[in-house]
Amino acid sequence: MSNLRALLQSYLDSPQLPSSGDLLSLLEGAISVLESENSLYRPRDSEEKAGGLLDFTASDFASLPLLVIPDLHGRGKFFLDILDFEFSGSSVLNLLEKGEILLCCVGDIFHSENRGKERWKQAFLEYTSGNFVNDAMKAEMKENLSLLEMILSLKSAFTSHFHILKGNHENVLNEDNRTKYGNVPFRKFCDEGNMVCHFLQHFYDDLILHEISCFEKALPICAAFKNCVVSHAEPATFFTREELINYHKTGSYATFALTWTANDAARDGTVAHLFNELLPQEERAHAFYFAGHRPVLGKYALRQGGRFVQIHNPDVEQVALVLPNQKFDPETGIIEVQ
């Protein structure tokens, strides 16, 4: 077992929540990496900051296999199972270490959702009585933060080969700012968005909250590879390449439109439009668009004329394996890693 693999396992196995110092160090390292990514694959926006688009279509990366990882929602074991999965005679982690694979996560690090429904209900009872740091929330946040530690560590270790996009759950401040950062306050069973925010504020401090928010806002929202495009959700409407790059421009809806789109709420043709904007002409006819966001039954759901593939099944440890120079088949390309 490599030293990095052992470190990742230690995050998952630790009975304690991470210390403020350890978490702050990991956050600062990953934020620095995100803000200074190579402009050859992450073009700069109009203010010379790292933009919202990852573009691997015209680089040496185009020849590498790609794993598209759906919503994680605190599933640290799932994440480690992905890294341990054997492909081409090596584990995914070993392939990362050799620079022979790309990983792209669609986002949503926090919130256990249905898996933790009863725990959320118990935590809410404590929360409404003023106990923000209760045992149920400690258990929830132990899962979320140990996964975050893994994500931050991998981003710093494999800057150009490991990527995570912003999802709608990347809103630790639970703010409402959909015209710049795409953020909408989150609640599902109770008041999860505020509960997480207040837990972090009381268990740690405002600095940790601020740094997690900075990490979230430094994440890109869309990734283009040789024969596919990835975002958290189905693109709601048409955007140009430049609009995706300038996703933080005041008044932009690009982040919201790629992270919050409900099923069957997207404008027809958005996927084909983005293929034309982002992919080489010879790849567009056979390309697929991958996202998560809303759960599916079984392996996948198809929309946009069968070109949009939704892969988030929270009950199954599955990923999409996209191989270079091969047309993707959802029946065989979506694989279980457990």
Side-chain angles (χ1 to χ4, degrees):
M1 180 184 292
S2 70
N3 291 336
L4 178 56
R5 176 61 179 79
L7 177 64
L8 300 177
Q9 186 71 53
S10 74
Y11 295 149
L12 186 64
D13 292 344
S14 173
Q16 306 296 327
L17 285 152
S19 72
S20 179
D22 288 346
L23 197 52
L24 188 61
S25 177
L26 287 171
L27 284 163
E28 289 176 341
I31 292 167
S32 177
V33 163
L34 286 164
E35 291 179 343
S36 61
E37 289 198 87
N38 194 327
S39 60
L40 291 176
Y41 67 81
R42 189 170 181 185
R44 293 291 184 264
D45 66 13
S46 59
E47 297 181 353
E48 289 302 311
K49 297 178 180 178
L53 175 68
L54 300 173
D55 183 355
F56 295 103
T57 61
S59 68
D60 294 338
F61 297 104
S63 63
L64 297 178
L66 165 69
L67 280 184
V68 182
I69 299 169
D71 310 37
L72 287 164
H73 289 300
R75 293 184 291 167
K77 178 185 176 298
F78 175 28
F79 191 67
L80 283 181
D81 285 345
I82 294 168
L83 299 178
D84 290 338
F85 181 71
E86 294 285 329
F87 171 67
S88 294
S90 296
S91 71
V92 168
L93 181 57
N94 285 339
L95 291 171
L96 271 175
E97 290 171 337
K98 293 186 289 185
E100 296 178 359
I101 197 169
L102 291 168
L103 270 63
C104 183
C105 306
V106 306
D108 281 7
I109 299 171
F110 282 5
H111 305 137
S112 59
E113 293 203 306
N114 283 330
R115 181 172 55 83
K117 183 176 181 178
E118 295 306 315
R119 183 170 64 196
W120 280 115
K121 290 180 178 179
Q122 179 59 43
F124 185 63
L125 290 175
E126 298 283 350
Y127 177 80
T128 53
S129 68
N131 183 11
F132 298 158
V133 183
N134 55 74
D135 288 343
M137 277 305 295
K138 285 182 180 178
E140 170 70 23
M141 293 309 298
K142 174 63 182 66
E143 292 183 0
N144 295 333
L145 292 175
S146 61
L147 174 61
L148 179 61
E149 288 180 295
M150 295 183 215
I151 296 286
L152 297 171
S153 296
L154 280 196
K155 186 59 191 173
S156 292
F158 309 115
T159 304
S160 58
H161 288 73
F162 176 80
H163 303 278
I164 181 162
L165 306 179
K166 184 186 184 304
N168 64 306
H169 288 251
E170 270 69 64
N171 181 15
V172 74
L173 298 178
N174 207 39
E175 64 185 2
D176 192 345
N177 189 342
R178 70 188 66 189
T179 61
K180 186 173 184 180
Y181 298 118
N183 286 333
V184 178
F186 177 79
R187 61 184 305 141
K188 192 163 191 173
F189 308 122
C190 41
D191 194 11
E192 293 93 331
N194 280 325
M195 290 164 69
V196 167
C197 180
H198 290 147
F199 177 91
L200 290 168
Q201 192 173 37
H202 286 79
F203 189 84
Y204 295 105
D205 50 37
D206 286 339
L207 179 59
I208 288 293
L209 260 181
H210 171 74
E211 290 295 307
I212 295 177
S213 180
C214 288
F215 164 72
E216 294 171 339
K217 289 167 182 172
L219 296 173
I221 58 170
C222 187
F225 301 90
K226 181 181 179 182
N227 53 0
C228 70
V229 178
V230 184
S231 63
H232 179 72
E234 185 177 0
T237 190
F238 298 164
F239 292 98
T240 65
R241 173 186 173 88
E242 288 69 29
E243 286 173 320
L244 296 177
I245 293 171
N246 287 283
Y247 68 141
H248 283 165
K249 184 177 179 180
T250 300
S252 171
Y253 273 93
T255 302
F256 178 77
L258 269 66
T259 57
W260 268 102
T261 313
N263 289 348
D264 302 316
R267 182 177 176 182
D268 288 341
T270 59
V271 163
H273 172 83
L274 281 177
F275 288 160
N276 290 336
E277 283 286 322
L278 303 177
L279 299 184
Q281 186 172 358
E282 66 273 14
E283 298 292 339
R284 297 169 190 169
H286 304 291
F288 283 89
Y289 196 116
F290 297 95
H293 185 46
R294 295 296 174 89
V296 300
L297 297 175
K299 276 191 171 185
Y300 58 89
L302 299 178
R303 283 192 296 283
Q304 300 270 345
R307 309 294 297 283
F308 176 82
V309 188
Q310 201 167 18
I311 61 171
H312 171 44
N313 184 333
D315 299 320
V316 180
E317 292 190 355
Q318 66 179 27
V319 298
L321 174 60
V322 185
L323 299 175
N325 304 316
Q326 291 187 27
K327 182 180 178 181
F328 181 79
D329 180 350
E331 285 297 324
T332 58
I334 298 173
I335 55 177
E336 292 191 30
V337 299
Q338 191 168 13

